[in-house]
Amino acid sequence: MNTAASVASAVRAAVAQGLLPAGTEPPAEDPRPWPVLLLMALGAWLAALPLLGVLGLLFGDLLRGDVGPYLAGGLVLAAALVVLRSRAVPLFVEQLAVPGLLVGLLGVAVGLFRDLSPRGGALAMCALVLASGALLPKAWLRVLLGAAAAVLLALSLTGPGDVLLGSGRNLVSLGLAWQGAAALALGTLALVAAGRAGPPRWAAAADALGAGALLGTLAGLAWWSGMSFMVGGAT
């Protein structure tokens, strides 16, 4: 039995036992070899970086305006989401949309953090990142966006200096921030496990985003603890 048949059999058994919601389908297998995907992604990133630099030089005045970051970032983000959701685009264009997604989110973030407080901007970006992840069909992109959402949620609950620098100026606030991110991740995964995350498509998105948020929380806790998290491995 090959891998695809094994996965399909495992999914059917999980649905029969009530571990997965009814109607859950196994993930579609990508027929493209991973070395081709890797080379195309590398070429897309190498092509995207100078292209974005040229666009920044051409539209620099627009980006410095009041609505410039929202307009430019929103357009790039929308275009990237459309390309990534489409199944009829060339592989190179699909991989080119990944840096476009990052640039679009960063463009909107520039405007939000400029016009709102640091906590307000982080909370708004957390909602935007989660919405973008829910619209994307790629599980690995959902996991990465879920991790980013966990960090942004922690930023919205405490100061950026405490979360990013691990300065520990307010240990109670910092601990509560990461506990809030962990509660979001675990609560989402619990809803998926209980079959209460909605239709299978929503459940799949919630599962990937929740797993990413949990990974982001663990990475944040490891960053905050510094070298002390390695003490267990030295004994």
Side-chain angles (χ1 to χ4, degrees):
M1 183 180 295
N2 56 27
T3 303
S6 300
V7 172
S9 177
V11 170
R12 288 193 297 268
V15 171
Q17 296 176 12
L19 300 177
L20 290 176
T24 302
E25 298 291 337
E29 187 177 1
D30 197 337
R32 300 169 295 190
W34 69 264
V36 175
L37 293 175
L38 182 60
L39 290 175
M40 282 293 184
L42 179 60
W45 277 96
L46 291 177
L49 294 178
L51 178 60
L52 293 174
V54 172
L55 292 177
L57 293 175
L58 292 176
F59 301 102
D61 294 335
L62 174 63
L63 295 177
R64 286 190 289 269
D66 293 337
V67 298
Y70 300 108
L71 181 60
L75 289 176
V76 174
L77 177 61
L81 290 175
V82 170
V83 172
L84 290 172
R85 286 175 58 87
S86 177
R87 297 182 180 180
V89 296
L91 178 58
F92 181 78
V93 177
E94 176 187 328
Q95 295 301 318
L96 193 62
V98 176
L101 177 70
L102 178 60
V103 171
L105 289 173
L106 290 177
V108 176
V110 169
L112 289 176
F113 280 99
R114 180 196 63 189
D115 298 333
L116 302 176
S117 65
R119 293 187 179 185
L123 186 60
M125 279 303 301
C126 178
L128 179 61
V129 166
L130 289 175
S132 300
L135 293 174
L136 291 174
K138 303 291 186 181
W140 66 273
L141 279 175
R142 287 171 172 171
V143 171
L144 292 178
L145 291 177
V151 176
L152 288 167
L153 180 62
L155 284 172
S156 69
L157 296 176
T158 187
D162 289 336
V163 171
L164 298 179
L165 301 179
S167 59
R169 290 175 292 177
N170 191 342
L171 296 180
V172 175
S173 175
L174 183 58
L176 291 176
W178 287 119
Q179 289 180 23
L184 173 66
L186 294 175
T188 302
L189 295 176
L191 287 176
V192 174
R196 298 180 179 179
R201 182 177 301 178
W202 294 2
D207 182 59
L209 289 171
L214 188 59
L215 290 175
T217 302
L218 293 175
L221 290 173
W223 174 266
W224 174 44
S225 63
M227 297 297 292
S228 61
F229 81 97
M230 300 179 65
V231 171
T235 57

